[in-house]
Amino acid sequence: MTPRLDLIGIITDDMAASLAFYRRLGLDIPIGVEGAPHVEAVLPGGIRLAWDTAETASAIDPEWSPKPEGSRLSLAFRCEDAADVDHQYADLVQAGYAGEKEPWDAYWGQRYAVVQDPDGNSVDLFAPLG
């Protein structure tokens, strides 16, 4: 059997804040799990997105620690159209999330923007131009 991607994991310092961010992007995350040490949501297509608290990561691997050089994880959310990229970016920044790169028309033919989730992970917003 060939391995297949089944789960993308995020380690978070604040479960409630992280879940609230991803709910704003339309993910169907169970309600009432904000205090749980591990949460999963099934994405369209069957891949799971999971969150673990830093405490959970440390319990699994006592030598685990966050990487000081920053995040190398990036998630990309396709938006309805170019205007929706602008709308989603503005909505997230107005809600207090850090904007990493304001919307722009990328040379590869997409409207693109980058925000950060509460743990500093880059989250791309994009839609085809035209």
Side-chain angles (χ1 to χ4, degrees):
M1 178 176 148
T2 302
R4 67 177 174 84
L5 180 62
D6 181 75
L7 184 138
I8 299 167
I10 298 172
I11 297 174
T12 181
D13 290 324
D14 185 335
M15 184 67 78
S18 189
L19 298 180
F21 175 85
Y22 288 98
R23 281 185 184 118
R24 288 185 81 91
L25 286 168
L27 295 187
D28 185 19
I29 301 167
I31 301 296
V33 296
E34 292 73 16
H38 176 87
V39 175
E40 292 186 14
V42 178
L43 305 176
I47 292 178
R48 295 174 295 146
L49 185 59
W51 295 261
D52 287 297
T53 62
E55 293 82 11
T56 300
S58 293
I60 293 168
D61 178 3
E63 295 183 25
W64 176 86
S65 65
K67 305 286 186 262
E69 64 272 5
S71 171
R72 293 184 182 255
L73 168 74
S74 176
L75 300 175
F77 284 76
R78 183 178 179 143
C79 298
E80 186 174 328
D81 54 29
D84 191 37
V85 171
D86 294 1
H87 170 77
Q88 297 295 335
Y89 179 87
D91 181 62
L92 290 164
V93 170
Q94 288 172 348
Y97 300 104
E100 189 172 311
K101 187 159 173 64
E102 292 185 5
W104 83 98
D105 291 341
Y107 68 87
W108 56 85
Q110 294 176 331
R111 183 73 172 164
Y112 224 88
V114 184
V115 295
Q116 291 181 358
D117 76 5
D119 295 294
N121 296 308
S122 294
V123 176
D124 301 356
L125 306 170
F126 73 94
L129 287 170

